[in-house]
Amino acid sequence: MFKAIRIKKPGGLDNLYLDSISAREPNAGEVVVKLHASSLNYHDYFVAKGVLPTKDGRIPMSDGAGEVIAVGEGVTEFARGDAVMSTFFNNCPAGESRAHHHSGMMGDQTDGYACEQITVPATGLTLVPRSFSHAEAATLPCAALTAWRALMVNARIKPGDSVLIQGSGGVSLFALQFAKAAGCEVIATSSSDEKLERMRGMGADGLINYREHPNWAKQVRKLTAGRGVDHVVEVGGAGTFAQSIEACGEGGHIAMIGVLAGGHQGDIPTNVIMGKQLTIKGVIVGSREDQLNMIRAIDRNGIRPVLDKHFPLEQLADAFRYQESGKHFGKIIVDIASAVMQR
């Protein structure tokens, strides 16, 4: 028997409970993974809180990393002892995710990685970047791949482009790293001067405290000599969308990712969108092919994730409460089994 965290309906952090699950031998095309780490995403938080309803007793968490301990018939890509990590969808091999892929959404439509052992389709895994720890690998499948899809696949950023990121969560910090690796200028916003300085240390070229400058789009235009930015990684939603539109230059691209600033509706300056001929593209993570391409880029460029606090699996609710506080910088880790590996 193995430990797992489940969600009792209707959700809420007090309705997360520790349970046990039985091991399951792999069927054809499946892999058994001993899990060592997971990481928190806002999607996981919304599932745990009941904002995204799921079935009673669901095991949450979309991200997981660990060691292959068994493979089913026909599996040739993985072998016992391989260090692997999850994909957000276990059934989206390439291209954009579509509605029919959502049945393979881990920790939401199917049981996720808040457990000690899991049996999943081989299509729901990839190998991890070279020399990554399990904790580092567990930060990539949702946050890093979302940033990768937004900038490298959809926006097709190029050297000399300007990119605006919002805050210091996982998606934003990965976007900062990918944009700098591609030779872009990056402007970062945050309510914390301390966090802004940390982002400066990661290569951010322009810094804006949005509490000091509520109309921060004006500051963006000052930093870009009036042009505005080429790309915005929009994680705030209705609370920041209008400012993102104002911050864009002509022909700009907005990657619509999150709703962290609250609300699902707001006033939209459609005349500005039309006048600037902006492109607005929704992003729901990415495909397995995207993840493989991202891993190659991470290996080549030496990118490492930014890790914040670690929590044991039994304290998953406390990890989410820490996430609620907004004190974190980078990714919050759930340690499922303590191990460090190299590949």
Side-chain angles (χ1 to χ4, degrees):
M1 301 295 287
F2 300 94
K3 291 186 293 186
I5 298 291
R6 297 187 184 273
I7 304 169
K8 183 187 302 182
K9 272 191 170 294
L13 301 186
D14 292 334
N15 281 329
L16 296 177
Y17 64 96
L18 186 65
D19 196 11
S20 60
I21 58 174
S22 300
R24 182 170 73 80
E25 293 299 314
N27 296 319
E30 292 186 325
V31 176
V32 183
V33 181
K34 178 183 178 181
L35 292 166
H36 291 279
S38 182
S39 74
L40 272 62
N41 301 289
Y42 276 97
H43 175 265
D44 303 312
Y45 174 73
F46 290 146
V47 171
K49 290 283 285 186
V51 176
L52 296 175
T54 189
K55 80 167 193 176
D56 188 53
R58 173 68 74 216
I59 298 174
M61 306 304 287
S62 66
D63 290 357
E67 177 186 354
V68 173
I69 59 174
V71 299
E73 182 182 354
V75 175
T76 59
E77 190 172 353
F78 305 108
R80 283 179 59 92
D82 281 346
V84 294
M85 65 189 199
S86 59
T87 60
F88 188 81
F89 303 102
N90 64 28
N91 58 354
C92 184
E96 291 190 344
S97 63
R98 302 299 187 189
H100 67 274
H101 293 127
H102 291 192
S103 63
M105 192 181 296
M106 302 299 293
D108 184 334
Q109 298 301 303
T110 189
D111 282 341
Y113 291 92
C115 54
E116 292 182 313
Q117 184 170 305
I118 193 169
T119 303
V120 293
T123 55
L125 300 169
T126 68
L127 297 173
V128 308
R130 291 192 298 268
S131 80
F132 265 38
S133 68
H134 293 297
E136 289 176 313
T139 69
L140 301 178
C142 182
L145 191 59
T146 297
W148 176 267
R149 179 86 197 184
L151 293 179
M152 312 307 292
V153 181
N154 293 346
R156 298 184 181 275
I157 59 174
K158 61 186 184 301
D161 282 357
S162 53
V163 177
L164 173 72
I165 65 168
Q166 300 172 346
S168 57
V171 172
S172 296
L173 293 188
F174 280 120
L176 167 57
Q177 291 174 292
F178 292 147
K180 293 305 295 184
C184 297
E185 177 187 10
V186 176
I187 297 173
T189 71
S190 174
S191 61
S192 165
D193 287 337
E194 178 184 355
K195 290 181 178 180
L196 286 169
E197 285 303 316
R198 291 185 68 179
M199 285 187 277
R200 187 199 300 276
M202 294 176 64
D205 303 281
L207 309 173
I208 301 171
N209 187 315
Y210 62 77
R211 287 200 174 156
E212 295 177 7
H213 301 282
N215 190 12
W216 46 262
K218 289 184 176 180
Q219 299 301 118
V220 172
R221 301 196 74 84
K222 286 182 180 178
L223 290 171
T224 57
R227 296 186 306 274
V229 293
D230 299 304
H231 309 282
V232 177
V233 179
E234 169 56 67
V235 300
T240 54
F241 190 42
Q243 286 289 302
S244 292
I245 291 170
E246 294 292 340
C248 268
E250 292 188 5
H253 173 272
I254 299 176
M256 195 72 192
I257 294 168
V259 292
L260 303 186
H264 296 271
Q265 295 179 339
D267 293 331
I268 300 174
T270 53
N271 61 320
V272 180
I273 295 173
M274 183 176 66
K276 292 183 177 181
Q277 302 182 74
L278 303 182
T279 298
I280 300 168
K281 178 74 172 176
V283 183
I284 303 180
V285 198
S287 69
R288 187 174 190 270
E289 180 182 56
D290 293 332
Q291 184 157 307
L292 292 170
N293 290 336
M294 177 187 72
I295 291 168
R296 283 192 286 269
I298 287 172
D299 280 337
R300 179 162 299 235
N301 289 279
I303 290 171
R304 308 298 292 227
V306 179
L307 308 186
D308 197 275
K309 290 185 69 173
H310 290 243
F311 291 83
L313 178 63
E314 295 86 348
Q315 295 178 20
L316 180 59
D318 290 334
F320 282 125
R321 292 185 182 101
Y322 177 63
Q323 184 182 36
E324 280 181 329
S325 75
K327 295 178 181 178
H328 58 289
F329 185 89
K331 296 291 289 180
I332 302 167
I333 304 301
V334 178
D335 293 318
I336 300 173
S338 58
V340 177
M341 53 81 186
Q342 302 286 324
R343 177 169 70 83

